[in-house]
Structure formats: C-alpha cells, structure tokens
Amino acid sequence: MLPRHTDPIAAIATAPGRGAVGIVRVSGRGVGPLVEALCGRALRPREATYLPFRDAAGQSIDQGLALYFPAPHSYTGEDVLELQAHGGPVVLQLLLARCLQAAAEADAATGRPRLPGLRLARPGEFTERAFLNDKIDLAQAEAIADLIDASTEAAARSASRSLAGAFSDEIHRLRDALVHLRMLVEATLDFPEEEIDFLRKADAHGQLAALQRTLAEVMGRTRQGALLREGIKVVIAGQPNAGKSSLLNALAGAELAIVTPIAGTTRDKVQQTIQIEGVPLHVIDTAGLRESDDEVERIGIERAWQEIAAADAVLFLHDLTRAGEPGYDAADAAIADRLAHKVPEAVPVIDVWNKSDRAVAVDTESGGNGGAAAESGVRPAAHAATTVRLSARTGDGLDVLRRVLLEIAGWQSAAEGIYTARARHVEALQAVDAHLMEAAAQLASEGPALDLLAEELRLAQQALNAITGEFTSDDLLGVIFSSFCIGK
C-alpha cells in the first residue's frame, strides 16, 4: 500500500447539482496510461482537446474538453488530468467511476494496472498535495478556501492577495530579520572567548526594536484581514416591541423578520449577515426580554440570552416613545443589570434609542427619563461604549450606527494592501510578539542571559513558521484541509 500522500486520487471538482459544465479531476504519478484509456489518445500538455470520453467498451460517455498537466507543472505538483464534461450529476458520476475502473484495468503494453491505488479524494486533498509538494505554503492554501467562501467583495480581493503570496511575503521578511538576529545571538554564545561584543556592535537593540515595529504593522493588517474573513457577531436585545426586528430589517435592507405591534412576536433568533465597508456583520434579532408565562416564549428568551453571552457586540434597544412610562424603565434597568453580569467586560453594549421619528426629546446621553443606562448603576464602564439615537422605520441615524459597529469591529479604512487572515494567524503573531517582548527584556537587562534570549528568539521563529507551514503538526493540517470542499 502506498503512503497516503502518494496515492493517486480522483474526485468531481465542481459543486453538486446540475450545471453547464462539470469537472472530474485526477492527480497522481504516471497518469499517462489513464489518459489514453479515457480519451483514446495521448494529450499535448496544457492544451485543451475536445474529444469523447470512453467507457470500457469504447463507447462515448460524453464529449468535452480534456487537459493534461504533467508534473511538476500542475496545481498539485503531480500529473493531473481534468475532464470537463456536461454538468449533470449522472454524467460526472459515470466519468468518475470510469476513472476508477480504468485505473485498475491492466495496461495493454505492460500488463500492470494503469494507475494502481487510485481512490476517491478526501476534502481538500488536491490542495493538500499542492502544499506538500511546495507549490504553495499553508497560508496560501488557506487563502484558496477563503476565496471560495468569501461573502463580500473585499474579502474576495483580500483572499486573492493572500493567494498571490502577499501575506506569506510579510511573514518571510519577518522571519529573515529574526534569523539574522538569532545568528548574532548564537555567535555570541558560540564564541564567548572572543572579546567582541557582537550584539552591541551589530546594534541588536535597534534590530529587535525594528523587528517589533514591523511585527506591529503586520499584526494590524492581519487583524483587518481576519475581520474581513470572519466578521463579528452582533446581537440585538431589548424589551418586546422596542423595534428589534425593524432594526434588523433596516440594516439588512429586506423584510427578514416579522414586525407587528403584538408583544412577543419573535420567538426564536433571526440571523442575517450584512456587510459594511466589506466587513461581514452577523446580526441576530432575538426574542423580547421580559418575564413570561408562555413556555414557547420562555424558551425563545433563554436562547436570546445564550446568543447575547456569545456576542462580539450587543445592541441594547430602547423605545423612546415609552421612556418614562411606569414599569418600562425598571424593566430596562433589570435587563441592563443582567447584561452587566452576562456579557464579558470586553464586549461593548451599545445603547440604541429607537423610534426617534415619533418620540419627544429625550436626554439619551444620561439614559433618558430614567433610562436603563443611567439607572442600573451596575454596567461596567467597558460596556458603556456609545449611545445612538435612530429610527429603524425611516432610517434616520442608521449611518451613525453603522459607523459605530465598524469602530467596535476595529475596522480602519480599507487599504489595498489588506490580505485575508485567520484567527490562528492572529494568535501566532501574538505569540511572536510575546516572545519578542521577553527577548527585549532580556536584552535590556544588566548581564543578559543570552541562552534565554536565544530561546525566546527561537520560539518566535517557530511561531512564525507555523503560519506558512514550515513548522506545523499533522493534526493542524487535518483540521485545515478537512474544511475544504471535495475536489479542491
């Protein structure tokens, strides 16, 4: 049995369902005999040829384009055959089955199987082969999946830049600077008898400081890239009839949630992903928060609190037309009190005062006529992010709310240099930053422990290498490539 990474593989490379064109892809060593069995002739490398695809009896399964990419000049770095046929699922399944059958058949010239061991590809295995054969690094491989999954134009463009190597180039520059600094430290350790202060003469302090500044810039762009890919989760919360569903509809620009004057209309969450400046925001409308005897509504309210606890930002909606009414402000204060204990301090809670088109003037800065923000007295300062006054019905004030949400997300005006990134990239760079800070502390101390300094620099380089896959575990590779679609 061949090792798992050298088995020839085959799969349908296009999405399930009917379409004008569908692709069956085969990758492995020595695909040539399989080409002749399926196409009835040899193919010129990288040249599309229109011909019939043949079954075992020589009959045509379909007619289409065949392309042959000899190694190493292919997507995977192996021999690759792509059959572009009509996109019906039956046709593509017949072609895939024929590939597997022909691979097991004896070749007329050699008497041996044409392509022994050909099997169905796992999700992402073609791209995994490309990574293992040094056609792309791990960050570029992830960018392929991000480009496929991009939900906004900005996310697609940033993923394309990462695929072209923009992010990897930044990481390589950091690594090269780090390697040079490590060399100086190791030289000092290896030749202690030499009365030469390598670190002082080479300005190790200055080099490390410059490296930290460059790292900070890369981290900023990486956070922006991760934001473009993942977005933030925004939960709309508040009492019944405060206008939560209307606000969701206004932000989405569509009638997604049912809006009625009947309290408790929303029983379960309604979610929609919108984009502002290319940043995806996953906005969730929840059941109105109140005490209820209705079992179904109570379940909806409990789910609402679960969503609130997992949010990246909470829009606490108040009804301006009811501020000051007996019982209303006390109920808002009770919600604010629970928010203070339920929501982590780092998560902002924005007070949104709705129905400004129908309300008398209310001092929203101080919480209104007894507003929850003023009365509860328990919300941590970190939660008291901003107050916004708007009308979900007319749209007045929505632009202000959009700007606030972008600020909360940490978005800065999109630059052309933004590349896509993932949470693991951000975490790896944070680890690099922590190791460099420790290294700087060692370097600044009286009589620095050079062995500890060298170790911190080594760990920093190891964290950098994990981003591009030069140092990584098989477990991580399994997680990354299993998220790909089959055939990619």
Side-chain angles (χ1 to χ4, degrees), residues 6-19:
T6 57
D7 290 347
I9 53 175
I12 297 171
T14 41
R18 295 186 300 169

Side-chain angles (χ1 to χ4, degrees), residues 146 162 167 222-223 225-227 229-230 419-423 425-426:
D146 294 341
S162 281
F167 182 35
T222 303
R223 280 191 290 266
L227 183 62
R229 178 183 181 271
E230 299 168 7
Y419 35 71
T420 193
R422 297 188 170 200
H425 302 150
V426 176

Side-chain angles (χ1 to χ4, degrees), residues 144-473:
I144 293 169
D146 294 341
L147 185 58
I148 293 170
D149 295 336
S151 59
T152 69
E153 179 183 350
R157 290 185 181 277
S158 66
S160 181
R161 280 189 285 273
S162 281
L163 179 54
F167 182 35
S168 300
D169 288 345
E170 297 262 29
I171 299 303
H172 290 151
R173 279 192 288 272
L174 282 171
R175 184 199 61 195
D176 291 345
L178 186 52
V179 167
H180 185 263
L181 189 56
R182 286 189 65 194
M183 178 192 69
L184 296 175
V185 175
E186 296 291 344
T188 305
L189 282 170
D190 290 343
F191 303 103
E193 70 280 359
E194 297 289 338
E195 295 182 1
I196 300 174
D197 188 349
F198 288 99
L199 301 184
R200 179 178 56 80
K201 290 194 174 184
D203 188 23
H205 285 278
Q207 288 192 42
L208 181 54
L211 182 57
Q212 288 179 294
R213 288 193 297 272
T214 304
L215 175 64
E217 294 171 2
V218 173
M219 287 178 69
R221 287 192 289 272
T222 303
R223 280 191 290 266
Q224 295 286 87
L227 183 62
L228 272 180
R229 178 183 181 271
E230 299 168 7
I232 63 171
K233 179 179 177 180
V234 180
V235 175
I236 307 174
Q239 294 190 56
N241 281 349
K244 297 183 298 298
S245 297
S246 296
L247 180 57
L248 171 66
N249 292 344
L251 288 170
E255 296 296 318
L256 301 173
I258 298 172
V259 177
T260 75
I262 302 171
T265 299
T266 302
R267 298 294 185 95
D268 205 350
K269 68 176 183 180
V270 180
Q271 179 170 337
Q272 178 67 19
T273 297
I274 65 172
Q275 57 172 299
I276 305 174
E277 297 286 336
V279 177
L281 301 180
H282 313 293
V283 185
I284 301 173
D285 173 26
T286 58
L289 305 176
R290 65 173 180 176
E291 296 295 326
S292 175
D293 296 327
D294 186 296
E295 181 64 24
V296 176
E297 188 179 1
R298 282 209 307 270
I299 294 173
I301 292 169
E302 184 55 38
R303 289 182 178 178
W305 282 111
Q306 291 171 2
E307 294 293 338
I308 289 168
D312 296 311
V314 178
L315 302 182
F316 183 10
L317 211 61
H318 309 277
D319 186 344
L320 279 168
T321 65
R322 296 164 62 193
E325 287 184 2
Y328 180 81
D329 294 335
D332 252 12
I335 293 171
D337 181 63
R338 189 168 180 185
L339 284 173
H341 294 90
K342 194 81 171 177
V343 180
E345 284 194 24
V347 175
V349 177
I350 301 94
D351 287 299
V352 180
W353 294 83
N354 188 28
K355 305 183 184 179
S356 62
D357 56 316
R358 294 191 288 149
V360 295
V362 174
D363 180 13
T364 56
E365 292 298 323
S366 62
N369 298 330
E375 277 202 356
S376 68
V378 294
R379 186 180 308 174
H383 285 167
T386 307
T387 298
V388 177
R389 181 185 175 109
L390 56 76
S391 168
R393 187 173 69 87
T394 66
D396 182 48
L398 280 179
D399 286 342
V400 175
L401 179 60
R402 292 187 181 101
R403 287 198 299 273
V404 168
L405 289 173
L406 283 178
E407 289 173 6
I408 289 169
W411 180 251
Q412 300 167 3
S413 295
E416 283 301 308
I418 297 297
Y419 35 71
T420 193
R422 297 188 170 200
R424 81 169 191 92
H425 302 150
V426 176
E427 291 168 4
L429 290 174
Q430 289 171 341
V432 174
D433 186 46
H435 289 306
L436 291 186
M437 288 179 64
E438 287 292 330
Q442 285 292 338
L443 201 55
S445 64
E446 292 257 350
L450 294 183
D451 52 344
L452 295 180
L453 172 60
E455 177 63 9
E456 291 297 341
L457 295 178
R458 185 190 69 82
L459 292 173
Q461 183 181 344
Q462 185 172 291
L464 273 181
N465 288 343
I467 294 175
T468 55
E470 293 164 72
F471 173 84
T472 191
S473 67

